[in-house]
Amino acid sequence: MKLIEQDEKDDFQRVLKRFKLSVEDFELAETDTTDSKTDEIFALTGFVVITQRSTNLKAQYPIGDGTRWVEEFERDIERKLFGRSWTQS
């Protein structure tokens, strides 16, 4: 099951566009950590690792029900964790 919804992917791409970063320069790798063995209704949980290919910088964010990983990623761009690599013009 995919944890990252299409609207979150769209928001992620809008953030990249706002900061003039290439979508192709970023890779999302999600991991589902939801406990499927429980009989109770459970919230979907996991994490996404975002890699900026040109710099090989990585950050991990919680994903799933009630998370705000796109906003956390945007704050990291504002803090200069991600950004233009020295090879970009």
Side-chain angles (χ1 to χ4, degrees):
M1 173 177 284
K2 295 288 183 187
L3 293 175
I4 299 175
E5 301 287 337
Q6 186 59 50
D7 62 329
E8 292 174 309
K9 289 180 183 179
D10 294 343
D11 291 344
F12 174 75
Q13 291 180 0
R14 276 192 283 278
V15 167
L16 293 175
K17 185 175 181 180
R18 179 174 154 232
F19 287 96
K20 297 181 170 71
L21 298 169
S22 170
V23 173
E24 292 79 23
D25 193 27
F26 288 84
E27 177 183 346
L28 302 176
E30 70 179 71
T31 299
D32 188 342
T33 60
T34 304
D35 182 3
S36 61
K37 295 177 184 174
T38 181
D39 289 336
E40 299 176 24
I41 297 175
F42 52 87
L44 299 175
T45 59
F47 60 89
V48 61
V49 174
I50 300 176
T51 304
Q52 185 176 16
R53 292 181 175 120
S54 62
T55 62
N56 203 34
L57 291 172
K58 298 178 187 212
Q60 179 176 299
Y61 305 94
I63 57 174
D65 297 339
T67 61
R68 302 177 66 96
W69 67 271
V70 176
E71 290 88 350
E72 292 176 32
F73 172 70
E74 184 173 14
R75 278 193 298 270
D76 283 346
I77 292 175
E78 290 169 345
R79 294 177 184 144
K80 308 294 187 206
L81 176 62
F82 294 103
R84 294 188 175 276
S85 72
W86 64 272
T87 59
Q88 294 174 312
S89 56

